[in-house]
Amino acid sequence: MGKVFKGQSALRITLTTFCDLEGIENAFIKYRKPNGKTGEFTAAVSDAVKGVVFHECIEGDIDACGWWAFWAFVAFADGRTAAGESAKVYVWNEGK
């Protein structure tokens, strides 16, 4: 992966859960910003068998420089939920 920049909107965040996502109710990519605030992006499933989810970033999604943590979170139709391990990504100021 190349560098990610603050304000970048041509960006797809992709995570692999390594679990079968057939029959899930919802998928999210949760995050922790460099300032410690947490949130989530709605995610779509690109490969249910391999457990791959993604979010297409829009303007304003990536709004801070520093270390971000991203992890998958899925809710199954039967009420079960599962969270994935976090991946850390450094977000740079443009021109760095």
Side-chain angles (χ1 to χ4, degrees):
M1 173 196 265
K3 286 185 176 181
V4 175
F5 296 98
K6 177 182 172 186
Q8 185 172 342
S9 59
L11 176 67
R12 175 184 272 199
I13 300 170
T14 303
L15 297 170
T16 303
T17 66
F18 300 105
C19 83
D20 189 344
L21 300 179
E22 293 289 337
I24 66 163
E25 186 87 6
N26 293 302
F28 301 95
I29 293 179
K30 292 192 174 189
Y31 60 81
R32 184 174 38 262
K33 294 182 180 189
N35 65 5
K37 291 187 179 181
T38 59
E40 63 189 26
F41 300 130
T42 301
V45 176
S46 62
D47 188 327
V49 174
K50 292 182 181 176
V52 181
V53 298
F54 71 93
H55 171 74
E56 295 284 352
C57 290
I58 59 172
E59 187 174 337
D61 280 353
I62 307 299
D63 60 357
C65 294
W67 285 104
W68 287 62
F70 297 100
W71 64 95
F73 185 89
V74 295
F76 294 88
D78 64 5
R80 295 174 301 135
T81 61
E85 293 182 38
S86 67
K88 291 188 177 181
V89 176
Y90 194 84
V91 174
W92 299 84
N93 271 316
E94 184 179 340
K96 297 287 181 179

